[in-house]
């Protein structure tokens, strides 16, 4: 039954003291521009759309979020303690005992729920399982999970993923983008395709205003060694990133961590207003102030993965008093409950008025307190909580039907590709064109040009050495740059993929295409300097052929770096393996060894250094060309190095490089696809 305008919706309470329904007016309540904008989750109220003789003036702006009634019943979670080993880790060879280690249980039969319009706080000491439970509720658990987690009486699916906002404890943001750029790019990717580009940009501006970020909107985010916005501003940007889509379900991990009390209060007030607008809000919080504590609707208190209390926040202190635990002096309820979760019960020393903890600091005393609290919860609360979960029916048939509807990607593949390409180029241009990197390339190019200054084709050995060095340098340099690509972006990629922001193919192609102009500028300038200073063949055809070969070599090397980084996601291991591979390719490249044994000679056929060197020789010399030798004039094809590499079968060399170019990138994509989120 849906209430008419102005009509009060009856509210009843069950045996557990929970509201069996919520005010329909709370669903309708406006909260600035944050409450009424999303087009992918909700039905449109056409009466609120401005109209003229030609139809709607703008797209609908007064849609309401799909209410999400979240229930979790008997949720248990454990993780395997088996070490993550690989075949090349010799330390794990023969280790049998570690593989028999029992699984570690993180959560024990957790029961609870949150309704639209409510804000649940999960409290407990460090290691109590708060973040683990939050990840599970957000569909991000990777261990052994049992129990039922239902969203409007349905399991988690892709549609729910795009209706869920998740704010991690660590602010995963691009360091070189400004606050405005961060939120605008997120809006272009996450808002439904029915919005125009200008509407999406305006939405980002509205969130900036709502979160009080106007003064720093043109300031970069910053990082560990890059000055940017403050910690509180960064946290608000992370929250704004999720508020853009006006999620039906919003989960936050320690949103007030590291913030001063004033900023923390503003953030919680924002979350409270979002909840009053009909959203379901769940947050972990370690030790809130008394003001913040009283802003929550429900409380879930955890200790070592066990529930000590679940219910209304206002009834928490009276519940613990009923089981024999109450403070003997005025204190912040949150502080007292956190002490109980640590097994500490405070007393006042009547003689001196000082706190005495000596008897309760003992391990056995703490265990007794925690055991008493767990048993009290099971005997007094658990059955009522289960009954209230069974009776919880706060959604209509229409809302349940909307939950089952398939949700489309918020933007088209091309839009995702375009936005990710521009965003990536803006973020990485500072790294690619860093002053030290430019100095390094130009210094090497200048030294090469001077050492081989105006060399002659008669000095075939010198010129062949230069061409081989160029192939080697522009094989090493790109591979060790691209190895860092995916490992450094792993957190961002995992976060955005988990939120359903874009397709992996759009990200991968944007990353590949966006790197082309950035990665090819420096080698182009370098080859231009070296070529004309060193006196190589002075024709346009030879120059452009040499340049194209070097750029081809750069792209293949870059692809191998992407593959190694994506496959291992460990920069140290990937760099070590890349060093071994590149040194092998260099030795088998046809310059150092001319008489390779047959049993190892096949290595050169998988070396792009070999093919790059071969193509560069072909761009400089022809089969009938000669050079000055001891007997007069000798054919260049008879020179040992050239004879070993050859000036024929150029088509096979190009084909081999093409196979490597696309093959390395395809394997890198498959490695990303199998990456754990």
């Amino acid at each position: 039954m849906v209430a008419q305008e102005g009509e009060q919706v009856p509210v009843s309470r069950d045996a557990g003291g929970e509201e069996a329904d919520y005010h329909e007016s709370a669903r309708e309540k406006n909260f600035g521009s944050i409450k009424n904008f999303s087009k992918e989750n909700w039905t449109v109220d056409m009466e609120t759309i401005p109209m003229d003789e030609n139809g709607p003036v703008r797209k609908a702006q007064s849609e309401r979020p799909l209410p999400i009634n979240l229930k979790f019943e008997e949720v248990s979670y454990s993780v395997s303690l088996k070490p993550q080993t690989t075949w090349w880790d010799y330390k794990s060879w023969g280790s049998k005992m570690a593989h028999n280690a029992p699984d570690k249980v993180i959560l024990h039969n957790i029961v609870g729920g949150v309704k639209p319009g409510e804000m649940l706080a999960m409290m407990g000491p460090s290691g109590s399982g708060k973040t683990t439970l939050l990840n599970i509720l957000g569909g991000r658990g990777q261990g052994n999970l049992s129990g039922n987690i239902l969203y409007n009486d349905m399991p988690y699916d892709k549609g729910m993923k795009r209706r869920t906002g998740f704010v991690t404890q660590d602010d995963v943001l691009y360091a070189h983008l400004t606050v405005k750029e961060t939120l605008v790019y997120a809006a272009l990717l996450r808002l439904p395709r029915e919005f125009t580009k200008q509407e999406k940009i305006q939405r980002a501006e509205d969130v900036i205003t709502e979160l009080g970020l106007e003064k720093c909107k043109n300031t970069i985010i910053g990082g560990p060694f890059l000055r940017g916005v403050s910690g509180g501003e960064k946290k608000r940007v992370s929250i704004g990133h999720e508020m853009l889509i006006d999620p039906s379900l919003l989960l936050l991990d320690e949103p007030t961590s590291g913030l001063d009390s004033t900023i923390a209060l503003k953030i919680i007030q924002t979350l409270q207003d979002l909840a009053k607008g009909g959203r379901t809000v769940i947050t972990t919080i370690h030790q809130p102030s008394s003001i913040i504590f009283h802003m929550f609707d429900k409380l879930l208190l955890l200790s070592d993965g066990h529930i000590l209390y679940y219910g209304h926040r206002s009834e928490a202190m009276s519940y613990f008093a009923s089981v024999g635990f109450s403070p003997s002096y005025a204190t912040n309820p949150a502080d007292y409950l956190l002490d109980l979760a640590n097994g500490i019960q405070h007393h006042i020393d009547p003689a001196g008025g000082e706190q005495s903890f000596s008897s309760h600091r003992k391990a056995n005393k703490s265990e007794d307190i925690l055991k008493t609290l767990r048993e009290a919860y099971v005997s007094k609360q658990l059955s009522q909580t289960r009954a209230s979960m069974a009776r919880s029916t706060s959604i209509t048939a229409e809302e349940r039907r909307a939950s089952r509807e398939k949700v489309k990607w918020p933007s088209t593949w091309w839009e995702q590709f375009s936005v990710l390409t521009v965003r990536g180029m803006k973020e990485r241009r500072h790294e690619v064109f860093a002053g030290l990197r430019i100095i390094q390339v130009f210094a090497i190019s200048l030294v090469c040009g001077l050492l081989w200054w105006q060399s002659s084709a008669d000095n075939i050995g010198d010129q062949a050495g230069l061409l081989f060095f160029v192939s080697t340098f522009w094989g090493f340099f790109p591979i060790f740059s691209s190895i860092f690509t995916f490992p450094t972006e792993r957190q961002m990629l995992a976060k955005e993929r988990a939120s359903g922001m874009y397709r992996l193919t759009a990200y991968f192609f944007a990353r590949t295409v966006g790197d082309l102009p950035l990665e090819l500028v420096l080698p182009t300038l370098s080859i231009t300097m070296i070529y004309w200073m060193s006196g190589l063949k002075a024709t346009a055809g030879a120059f452009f052929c040499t340049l194209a070969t070097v750029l081809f070599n750069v792209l293949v090397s870059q692809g191998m770096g992407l593959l190694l980084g994506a496959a291992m996601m460990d920069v140290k291991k990937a760099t070590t393996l890349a060093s071994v591979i590149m040194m092998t390719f260099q030795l088998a490249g046809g310059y150092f060894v001319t008489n390779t044994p047959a049993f190892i000679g096949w290595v050169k056929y998988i070396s792009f250094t070999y093919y790059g060197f071969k193509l560069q020789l072909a761009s400089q010399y022809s089969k009938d060309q000669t050079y000055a030798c001891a007997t007069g004039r000798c054919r260049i094809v008879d020179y040992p190095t050239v004879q070993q590499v050859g000036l024929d079968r150029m088509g096979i060399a190009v084909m081999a490089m093409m196979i490597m170019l696309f093959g390395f990138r395809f394997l890198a994509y498959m490695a990303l696809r199998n990456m754990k989120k």
Side-chain angles (χ1 to χ4, degrees), residues 163-177:
R163 293 186 174 103
T164 301
F166 197 107
V167 180
T168 58
Q169 184 173 357
D170 298 325
D171 301 311
V172 184
L173 302 166
Y174 283 114
H176 290 96
L177 297 183

Side-chain angles (χ1 to χ4, degrees), residues 165-174 179 182-183 186 190 207 211 213 221 229-244 250-255 267 271 492 495 499:
F166 197 107
V167 180
T168 58
Q169 184 173 357
D170 298 325
D171 301 311
V172 184
L173 302 166
Y174 283 114
V179 170
T182 299
L183 294 178
R190 304 190 71 177
V207 170
L211 292 176
L213 296 169
I221 297 296
V229 298
S230 66
E233 291 167 337
K234 191 178 295 185
K235 179 62 67 176
R236 279 181 280 170
V237 173
S238 296
I239 295 176
H241 203 282
E242 303 303 320
M243 288 170 57
L244 283 169
L250 180 60
L251 303 103
L252 307 98
D253 190 12
E254 300 282 358
I267 288 176
L271 299 179
M492 180 65 73
K495 168 194 168 185
S499 300

Side-chain angles (χ1 to χ4, degrees), residues 527-538:
I527 295 303
T528 303
M529 285 182 59
I530 293 174
Y531 195 92
W532 299 109
M533 290 178 68
S534 60
L536 293 174
K537 192 174 182 179

Side-chain angles (χ1 to χ4, degrees), residues 236-280:
R236 279 181 280 170
V237 173
S238 296
I239 295 176
H241 203 282
E242 303 303 320
M243 288 170 57
L244 283 169
I245 63 170
D246 199 15
S248 299
L249 174 64
L250 180 60
L251 303 103
L252 307 98
D253 190 12
E254 300 282 358
T256 61
S257 177
L259 306 181
D260 61 70
S261 57
T262 302
I263 298 299
L265 180 61
K266 288 182 179 179
I267 288 176
I268 299 300
Q269 285 175 335
T270 300
L271 299 179
Q272 185 183 51
D273 289 335
L274 285 170
K276 289 180 179 179
R279 290 139 197 88
T280 304

Side-chain angles (χ1 to χ4, degrees), residues 44-51 59-63:
V44 182
D45 182 4
M46 294 300 296
E47 294 180 357
T48 63
I49 303 176
M51 305 287 289
K59 298 182 184 294
Q61 295 289 326
S62 58
E63 301 168 353

Side-chain angles (χ1 to χ4, degrees), residues 26-300:
R27 296 183 184 177
E28 303 290 350
K29 181 177 179 179
N30 289 332
F31 178 52
S33 60
I34 294 180
K35 298 299 184 295
N36 307 299
F37 79 95
S38 180
K39 309 202 184 266
E40 106 180 280
N41 293 349
W42 310 305
T43 57
V44 182
D45 182 4
M46 294 300 296
E47 294 180 357
T48 63
I49 303 176
M51 305 287 289
D52 61 16
E53 63 275 8
N54 298 320
V57 176
R58 283 175 52 88
K59 298 182 184 294
Q61 295 289 326
S62 58
E63 301 168 353
R64 62 183 183 179
L66 174 69
I68 300 297
N69 185 14
L70 173 59
K71 296 188 291 186
F72 41 98
E73 303 169 348
E74 309 298 336
V75 173
S76 296
Y77 183 81
S78 61
V79 293
S80 174
L81 296 181
K82 295 179 181 179
Q84 298 293 328
T85 59
T86 53
W87 62 268
W88 60 77
D89 188 0
Y90 67 91
K91 294 181 180 179
S92 65
W93 295 354
S95 178
K96 302 294 184 183
M97 295 183 62
H99 292 274
N100 297 324
D103 291 350
K104 181 179 180 180
V105 180
I106 307 297
L107 299 174
H108 305 262
N109 299 322
I110 307 298
V111 181
V114 200
K115 298 175 182 178
E118 293 179 338
M119 181 163 56
L120 169 68
M122 296 194 293
M123 287 181 53
S126 299
S128 60
K130 306 185 301 294
T131 299
T132 300
L133 179 57
L134 191 76
N135 287 332
I136 291 172
L137 298 180
R140 304 186 180 200
Q142 294 179 1
N144 303 316
L145 177 64
S146 62
N148 293 320
I149 304 176
L150 300 175
Y151 309 78
N152 290 352
D153 299 328
M154 295 180 60
Y156 190 84
D157 56 14
K158 290 184 179 180
M160 182 54 59
K161 177 166 68 175
R162 296 193 184 99
R163 293 186 174 103
T164 301
F166 197 107
V167 180
T168 58
Q169 184 173 357
D170 298 325
D171 301 311
V172 184
L173 302 166
Y174 283 114
H176 290 96
L177 297 183
T178 66
V179 170
K180 182 177 179 179
E181 287 173 341
T182 299
L183 294 178
V184 166
Y185 288 135
L188 294 175
L189 288 170
R190 304 190 71 177
L191 292 184
R193 62 186 69 183
E194 289 81 5
F195 275 86
T196 66
K197 182 178 179 180
Q198 290 303 318
E199 288 175 333
K200 292 180 179 181
I201 295 175
Q202 183 58 48
R203 170 65 186 151
E205 293 278 7
D206 294 339
V207 170
I208 289 173
T209 302
E210 197 64 50
L211 292 176
L213 296 169
E214 301 98 324
K215 293 182 180 180
C216 64
K217 70 178 183 179
N218 294 318
T219 305
I220 62 171
I221 297 296
F225 305 104
L226 182 65
R227 189 171 183 178
V229 298
S230 66
E233 291 167 337
K234 191 178 295 185
K235 179 62 67 176
R236 279 181 280 170
V237 173
S238 296
I239 295 176
H241 203 282
E242 303 303 320
M243 288 170 57
L244 283 169
I245 63 170
D246 199 15
S248 299
L249 174 64
L250 180 60
L251 303 103
L252 307 98
D253 190 12
E254 300 282 358
T256 61
S257 177
L259 306 181
D260 61 70
S261 57
T262 302
I263 298 299
L265 180 61
K266 288 182 179 179
I267 288 176
I268 299 300
Q269 285 175 335
T270 300
L271 299 179
Q272 185 183 51
D273 289 335
L274 285 170
K276 289 180 179 179
R279 290 139 197 88
T280 304
V281 180
I282 304 176
T283 178
T284 64
I285 194 162
H286 185 67
Q287 200 164 7
S289 66
S290 56
I291 297 177
I292 290 178
F293 178 78
H294 286 89
M295 296 175 70
F296 297 118
D297 299 299
K298 286 183 177 178
L299 173 67
L300 177 65

Side-chain angles (χ1 to χ4, degrees), residues 467-656:
L467 296 176
F468 185 77
F469 172 79
V470 169
S471 295
T472 302
F473 179 76
W474 287 112
F476 270 93
F477 198 82
I479 195 172
F480 287 106
S481 297
S482 57
I483 275 176
F484 292 84
T485 298
F486 296 128
T488 54
E489 288 197 0
R490 180 177 184 175
Q491 281 187 303
M492 180 65 73
L493 179 60
K495 168 194 168 185
E496 294 181 339
R497 283 190 66 194
S499 300
M501 282 182 64
Y502 47 73
R503 299 169 177 85
L504 181 59
T505 52
Y507 168 81
F508 187 80
F509 278 99
R511 193 68 170 89
T512 303
V513 174
D515 283 346
L516 292 181
L518 299 178
E519 295 292 344
L520 298 182
V521 169
L522 289 181
T524 299
L525 297 176
S526 172
I527 295 303
T528 303
M529 285 182 59
I530 293 174
Y531 195 92
W532 299 109
M533 290 178 68
S534 60
L536 293 174
K537 192 174 182 179
T539 63
F543 167 72
F544 286 111
C545 187
T546 301
L547 177 60
T549 300
V550 172
L551 297 183
F552 203 176
N553 195 74
V554 168
L555 294 178
V556 174
S557 174
Q558 182 192 42
M560 175 170 280
L562 294 176
L563 171 59
L564 294 176
M568 295 188 172
M569 285 297 175
D570 186 306
V571 172
K572 185 177 180 180
K573 292 180 180 179
T575 302
T576 302
L577 184 57
S579 300
V580 175
I581 292 174
M582 288 304 299
M583 290 301 294
T584 303
F585 284 0
Q586 181 181 7
L587 294 174
Y591 183 77
F592 293 113
V593 183
T594 56
N595 296 309
T596 307
F599 65 86
I600 196 66
W602 58 269
V603 175
K604 66 181 181 181
Y605 296 115
I606 61 172
S607 169
F608 58 82
T609 303
Y610 167 77
Y611 292 115
F613 182 42
K614 184 182 183 75
L615 292 173
Q616 286 200 72
L617 288 176
S619 68
Q620 292 297 312
Y621 311 115
S622 60
K623 294 180 180 180
D624 56 352
Q625 188 174 348
T626 61
Y627 70 99
C629 61
T631 60
R633 303 297 296 182
C634 300
R635 295 194 312 162
I636 282 182
V637 292
D638 294 331
Y639 187 81
T641 299
V642 179
Q643 187 178 32
Q644 171 70 14
V645 177
L647 295 179
D648 55 353
R649 299 181 180 179
M650 294 298 112
I652 294 178
V654 173
M655 183 62 65

